[in-house]
Amino acid sequence: MTGAAIPVLGWPPDPDRVEAIFERLSGVMPDPKTELNFSNPFTLVVAVALSAQATDVSVNKATDRLFKVADTPQKMLALGEEGLIPYIASIGLYRNKAKNVIALSRIVLEQHGGEVPLTREGLQALPGVGRKTASVVLNELGIEAAIAVDTHVFRVSHRLGLANAATPDKVEAQLFRVVPEDWLPKAHHWLILHGRYTCTARKPNCPACVIADLCPSRAGLQALGEART
């Protein structure tokens, strides 16, 4: 995510165009949700923490087995770091993630009575939980209309001219300035899913894109897609 890779597009974008973008995305994805599997706030925090530099698919494969035996802080602590590692060894950075998951489980149990603290400050105080992870959790649980800027959101936001900043935090600030309030609660998911399945990094599928005519990067992206066909 460097400034050199960012296309030069006018900002701020036209409000009517932004409104149209999210109206169309809502039409094809009326109820977008995280693709990570979870059953309670604790398993959501763990799943999101495990997903750093890993795909949701790989995390779900691991947690499908893990959460059957450890879906609470108490059970996770009983499993222990060495007991946790075999479940998540297929995920990148698994040793450090195992250490963080056990540490955050202990804090949730000892300092919060076994209940995950559902505030930004409380979440970000947990080991392995940064701003992006906290944003995903708060947004998914309907607590805060947060926008977690991962690689998909970063890429799509720039291609659509919704942002032109060089860092995730600055892109997040720009998105909060231009995304209409009514669309904010689900904007995070729409941008991620659009980037994951349509506006992909290497081969964007512009012919199937419902907002292609609203995209200032369309010509270049179509050429990119055709070149890699």
Side-chain angles (χ1 to χ4, degrees), residues 12-92:
D14 175 66
D16 290 338
R17 183 172 68 86
V18 178
E19 178 73 27
I21 285 172
F22 286 99
E23 184 174 4
R24 291 190 196 175
L25 290 176
S26 72
V28 295
M29 294 180 281
D31 191 26
K33 298 180 181 296
T34 181
E35 294 186 318
L36 290 169
N37 295 332
F38 70 98
S39 59
N40 54 45
F42 175 73
T43 53
L44 176 59
V45 170
V46 171
V48 178
L50 292 176
S51 71
Q53 299 183 47
T55 66
D56 288 0
V57 172
S58 67
V59 172
N60 286 339
K61 287 182 179 178
T63 58
D64 181 57
R65 294 174 55 242
L66 172 63
F67 292 157
K68 289 177 181 177
V69 298
D71 60 352
T72 67
Q74 296 92 330
K75 293 177 182 177
M76 195 68 74
L77 275 177
L79 195 60
E81 191 174 328
E82 292 306 312
L84 171 58
I85 285 177
Y87 288 96
I88 64 172
S90 58
I91 302 173

Side-chain angles (χ1 to χ4, degrees), residues 173-196:
Q174 287 186 321
L175 289 173
F176 267 98
R177 285 182 58 186
V178 303
V179 176
E181 186 175 355
D182 288 347
W183 300 122
L184 272 176
K186 297 181 180 180
H188 163 77
H189 290 307
W190 283 320
L191 293 173
I192 283 180
L193 295 172
H194 187 64
R196 184 173 290 167

Side-chain angles (χ1 to χ4, degrees), residues 136-155:
V136 172
V137 172
L138 293 170
N139 188 76
E140 184 64 30
L141 296 178
I143 297 169
E144 180 182 317
I147 299 178
V149 180
D150 67 354
T151 56
H152 296 301
V153 174
F154 190 88
R155 178 179 69 253

Side-chain angles (χ1 to χ4, degrees), residues 70-214:
D71 60 352
T72 67
Q74 296 92 330
K75 293 177 182 177
M76 195 68 74
L77 275 177
L79 195 60
E81 191 174 328
E82 292 306 312
L84 171 58
I85 285 177
Y87 288 96
I88 64 172
S90 58
I91 302 173
L93 307 176
Y94 68 90
R95 290 190 182 279
N96 191 55
K97 290 178 180 178
K99 183 180 299 184
N100 285 335
V101 168
I102 296 303
L104 75 82
S105 298
R106 181 172 290 107
I107 290 174
V108 169
L109 186 61
E110 295 178 354
Q111 297 182 19
H112 301 284
E115 299 294 328
V116 172
L118 296 178
T119 64
R120 181 171 292 280
E121 181 181 16
L123 286 168
Q124 289 186 207
L126 299 175
V129 178
R131 179 173 180 81
K132 186 169 70 174
T133 296
S135 291
V136 172
V137 172
L138 293 170
N139 188 76
E140 184 64 30
L141 296 178
I143 297 169
E144 180 182 317
I147 299 178
V149 180
D150 67 354
T151 56
H152 296 301
V153 174
F154 190 88
R155 178 179 69 253
V156 172
S157 296
H158 282 89
R159 287 177 173 179
L160 289 173
L162 300 177
N164 62 3
T167 67
D169 286 350
K170 290 180 179 179
V171 166
E172 178 184 349
Q174 287 186 321
L175 289 173
F176 267 98
R177 285 182 58 186
V178 303
V179 176
E181 186 175 355
D182 288 347
W183 300 122
L184 272 176
K186 297 181 180 180
H188 163 77
H189 290 307
W190 283 320
L191 293 173
I192 283 180
L193 295 172
H194 187 64
R196 184 173 290 167
Y197 297 110
T198 303
C199 194
T200 56
R202 290 184 54 80
K203 193 177 178 182
N205 189 3
C206 295
C209 178
V210 297
I211 53 175
D213 61 310
L214 300 172

